[in-house]
Amino acid sequence: MENVAKLDEVLEEKGYDKTKVIKWIISILMMFTPMLIQLNENYTGNIRTFFMITILVIMIWAFELMPLAAPALVLPIVYVSFGLATPAQAFSPWTTEMPWLFIGGMIISNVFDRTGLMKRMAITAIKIAGGTYRGILLGFLIVGLILCIIIPSTAARTTLFLPIAYGIITALGLKKNTKEAIAIMATSSFMALTPWTIVDGINLIAYSIAKNFGVNLSWVAYMKEMGLMTFILSCVYIGAVLFFYRGNAEIFRKENNFKTKDYFEKEYSKLGKITTSEKKVMLVLGVMVTILCTSSIHNVSAGWVFAIGAFCFYLPGINVADEKDIKSVNMAMIILMTGAMTIGAVSMATGTGAFIGRILTPFLKGSSFEIVSVSWLIGVIVNFLLTPLAAASALTQPLVEAAIENGISPTVILNSYAVGLEQIIFPYEYVLPLMMFSYGIMTLKEFVKIYLLKMILSLLFLLVVCVPYWGILGLL
């Protein structure tokens, strides 16, 4: 105990954070765990080195020992330096559509917010839905559905949705930790985080990697396989929230409906008439959506559509974007996403993906219900350890290879896995729900309850609705 006390004194004198030092020690010890497994013809030296480097980076991310983009920035360099991949392989994520899609999406998001079109859409959707408690929740569903097509970033949508939800809660005088406040805040987060399209959130990374194995799914084909299911699942979430979190607050009583409607009418009137800039933004977005919906005809990648769409905002005659919209693009998030994809690229180069795939193959056998359940469960478990982006990158290849080995449609496995990755129990598991939790609208206990409800519903929906539907499509 004396030695521990002395160590504490030394750390304090040197200005070190004791907790951080402990986390670094744990991270370094974890890095050496692959050394405990004996090398053989399947578990090669390169695979072991890959695991050691990747585990250290993941631990740094998990413990937030430095800004998340910092290790992602050097990760491909480290892989190349240790001879695990060529520069072309390690830096291949930068040659995909993903960075350009994200940059374009962030610029579009900035313009969308600055012109006031985002708030106009949200208030309009809530008004159309009745302006009541139910209308507020349905409004987030409607806007979430529209925004998922034009803003393929869960982070951007979360940043846009949360202040609106918090503003509604405050304006209507709802107390913290009440059912209504929890429902509005959580629903805004659910709808912002749902990956509706193939270029959205974790789907973008997963399907970019899956392309290397012949899994080529168009934007429209994905909407048919999973987009429709995602919409129905979102409706199920809303229904469950309305059932378990009934709006019994005085402001939501029938006789007071005029008060909530009056609030949204006033908010809408503050926006004034729709401006020329908003009309121009809608025109460009309309063209983009048309191109995305016809991608099976012209085969133009979604990433290029978003990059060109952002560029069009600067053209003479349109000119609705300015320099700030580019400068405020979150480059750290782009570096993090490409860094996460680097893990998948080097996993393929070293044979690590195939190694993990052989381990997973026996578990992805059996009935359709078993296959979907296991895929979902893998996502839930991995989410405790990795960020969703890192998890999508690290396990996409093994899951696709296991699916091919077992003669199963890889898209079924990936979609079930993605739904699992969306599920969390504690705020620390994912920074975006943590952002929502930081508003202080609900206690940790209430956060766990509502996200646990979401988790249970997601699995039941996969088994009861998705499995039969995918069977009809011939995927199972």
Side-chain angles (χ1 to χ4, degrees):
M1 290 297 292
E2 250 183 67
N3 291 334
V4 173
K6 284 181 181 178
L7 180 61
D8 286 348
E9 285 176 20
V10 171
L11 291 174
E12 195 172 333
E13 283 176 17
K14 298 285 185 182
Y16 292 117
D17 182 337
K18 179 186 172 184
T19 304
K20 209 167 189 179
V21 170
I22 292 171
K23 287 178 178 179
W24 270 110
I25 292 170
I26 293 171
S27 300
I28 292 169
L29 290 174
M30 288 297 294
M31 180 183 71
F32 286 105
T33 53
M35 299 283 288
L36 300 174
I37 304 173
Q38 190 172 0
L39 297 178
N40 54 51
E41 57 181 10
N42 292 317
Y43 184 66
T44 63
N46 275 356
I47 291 176
R48 183 170 69 183
T49 305
F50 170 82
F51 275 133
M52 291 176 70
I53 294 169
T54 307
I55 287 172
L56 178 60
V57 169
I58 287 170
M59 293 302 295
I60 291 171
W61 282 340
F63 284 143
E64 297 181 346
L65 294 172
M66 58 179 72
L68 298 179
L73 186 66
V74 299
L75 188 57
I77 299 171
V78 174
Y79 282 142
V80 172
S81 300
F82 277 85
L84 301 181
T86 64
Q89 291 169 324
F91 288 94
S92 61
W94 287 100
T95 66
T96 67
E97 64 181 298
M98 192 283 294
W100 318 113
L101 185 150
F102 196 81
I103 292 171
M106 286 299 294
I107 293 172
I108 291 169
S109 170
N110 293 337
V111 173
F112 206 67
D113 187 34
R114 185 173 48 75
T115 57
L117 189 55
M118 166 64 209
K119 189 171 184 180
R120 186 182 297 277
M121 282 181 57
I123 299 299
T124 302
I126 292 171
K127 274 182 61 188
I128 291 171
T132 58
Y133 176 60
R134 181 185 298 172
I136 294 170
L137 303 189
L138 290 175
F140 280 115
L141 171 66
I142 295 166
V143 179
L145 176 61
I146 296 170
L147 288 192
C148 73
I149 300 172
I150 53 183
I151 302 179
S153 164
T154 51
R157 294 201 300 273
T158 299
T159 305
L160 293 171
F161 273 26
L162 293 183
I164 292 175
Y166 185 75
I168 291 171
I169 291 167
T170 305
L172 296 181
L174 298 174
K175 294 180 180 178
K176 293 181 179 181
N177 218 42
T178 57
K179 286 188 174 183
E180 296 83 3
I182 292 168
I184 291 171
M185 205 68 187
T187 298
S188 71
S189 178
F190 290 173
M191 297 303 107
L193 290 172
T194 302
W196 303 71
T197 70
I198 196 169
V199 295
D200 202 352
I202 54 180
N203 289 339
L204 175 60
I205 292 178
Y207 278 96
S208 293
I209 295 171
K211 276 184 181 178
N212 297 314
F213 301 90
V215 182
N216 290 305
L217 211 60
S218 70
W219 192 86
V220 174
Y222 177 85
M223 294 305 287
K224 179 183 174 183
E225 284 191 19
M226 193 61 193
L228 176 61
M229 294 294 98
T230 303
F231 172 71
I232 297 172
L233 178 56
S234 297
C235 292
V236 170
Y237 290 153
I238 298 285
V241 169
L242 285 169
F243 181 79
F244 289 103
Y245 293 81
R246 299 176 189 275
N248 295 322
E250 188 177 343
I251 190 70
F252 292 124
R253 288 177 186 168
K254 238 178 189 179
E255 62 269 23
N256 291 325
N257 276 354
F258 73 93
K259 291 182 181 179
T260 55
K261 289 179 180 178
D262 187 50
Y263 165 74
F264 291 111
E265 287 290 349
K266 285 179 180 176
E267 286 297 304
Y268 188 80
S269 64
K270 286 179 188 176
L271 297 172
K273 290 184 178 180
I274 189 165
T275 64
T276 303
S277 293
E278 289 175 278
K279 291 176 182 177
K280 289 176 180 178
V281 172
M282 286 193 291
L283 175 63
V284 173
L285 294 178
V287 173
M288 287 174 58
V289 171
T290 303
I291 295 172
L292 288 170
C293 290
T294 55
S295 60
S296 58
I297 300 172
H298 49 67
N299 293 321
V300 175
S301 296
W304 314 148
V305 176
F306 281 91
I308 295 169
F311 168 75
C312 288
F313 283 155
Y314 290 92
L315 289 175
I318 300 177
N319 200 29
V320 291
D322 58 30
E323 194 175 352
K324 287 181 182 177
D325 295 318
I326 283 186
K327 285 185 174 179
S328 57
V329 168
N330 189 346
M331 284 303 299
M333 182 58 71
I334 295 169
I335 292 169
L336 175 62
M337 289 182 74
T338 49
M341 289 179 69
T342 298
I343 294 174
V346 178
S347 167
M348 194 187 310
T350 56
T352 306
F355 172 73
I356 299 173
R358 285 191 289 272
I359 296 172
L360 292 177
T361 298
F363 297 101
L364 293 173
K365 289 181 177 178
S367 69
S368 299
F369 296 101
E370 290 172 319
I371 292 166
V372 168
S373 298
V374 170
S375 302
W376 176 87
L377 185 60
I378 291 171
V380 172
I381 292 172
V382 170
N383 214 24
F384 276 102
L385 307 172
L386 306 179
T387 65
L389 297 180
S393 178
L395 286 186
T396 292
Q397 183 196 348
L399 287 170
V400 169
E401 292 196 341
I404 293 171
E405 179 70 25
N406 288 333
I408 307 164
S409 169
T411 58
V412 167
I413 302 294
L414 290 181
N415 293 335
S416 304
Y417 176 59
V419 173
L421 283 180
E422 291 172 42
Q423 312 311 317
I424 64 168
I425 297 177
F426 302 106
Y428 79 86
E429 293 181 54
Y430 191 12
V431 68
L432 297 180
L434 180 60
M435 189 189 301
M436 184 270 288
F437 183 67
S438 70
Y439 276 81
I441 293 296
M442 65 190 78
T443 62
L444 178 61
K445 178 183 175 183
E446 292 299 332
F447 181 97
V448 171
K449 278 169 62 177
I450 198 163
Y451 269 88
L452 194 57
L453 172 65
K454 180 175 180 280
M455 179 183 287
I456 293 167
L457 289 172
S458 72
L459 178 59
L460 290 175
F461 184 82
L462 280 174
L463 299 179
V464 176
V465 180
C466 291
V467 168
Y469 177 72
W470 290 334
I472 293 170
L473 293 182
L475 301 173
L476 281 172

